[in-house]
Amino acid sequence: MKKLLPILALTAVFTTAGIAPALAEEKKIVGSVVKIQLGTPDAASVTVQVKDNKSGAQEKVIVSDESTVDKLKSKKISDGDEVRVKFETTTGAAKSFKKTAGCD
């Protein structure tokens, strides 16, 4: 019984550690910008709706990167532009949000 307890404890730790990364799943899509919701002029984040080119599904992504938010506000990235997005599926927070064409 004393030998079984540490094995059970290690099994529980590895099982719990395996679940946590699965909850924060990351998704990459390439698609066109459908809608940009700026909110207030001094907002620190912008919600962008992107339509995936492969599946046709629309994803809502929250962009909070200061330079990307400035590009969205100044219309350097606008509706219809094709973008490459990496984001968390649970929160919708963008890790990377770039235009596919050019280097704006």
Side-chain angles (χ1 to χ4, degrees), residues 14-56:
F14 287 126
T15 304
T16 308
I19 292 172
L23 295 176
E25 188 176 324
E26 190 174 277
K27 188 173 181 180
K28 297 178 187 178
I29 62 171
V30 175
S32 58
V33 175
V34 176
K35 186 177 182 182
I36 300 171
Q37 295 175 333
L38 295 174
T40 60
D42 59 342
S45 65
V46 175
T47 304
V48 181
Q49 198 165 359
V50 180
K51 183 177 181 182
D52 189 6
N53 286 344
K54 286 185 181 177
S55 68

Side-chain angles (χ1 to χ4, degrees), residues 36-95:
I36 300 171
Q37 295 175 333
L38 295 174
T40 60
D42 59 342
S45 65
V46 175
T47 304
V48 181
Q49 198 165 359
V50 180
K51 183 177 181 182
D52 189 6
N53 286 344
K54 286 185 181 177
S55 68
Q58 291 189 6
E59 301 283 349
K60 279 193 176 181
V61 180
I62 300 168
V63 179
S64 57
D65 176 44
E66 188 177 338
S67 64
T68 308
V69 169
D70 289 342
K71 288 178 186 179
L72 289 163
K73 286 181 180 179
S74 67
K75 307 280 187 206
K76 287 185 178 179
I77 300 174
S78 59
D79 292 350
D81 288 347
E82 189 173 70
V83 292
R84 183 178 317 274
V85 184
K86 185 189 308 183
F87 65 100
E88 289 184 18
T89 56
T90 54
T91 61
K95 292 187 173 189

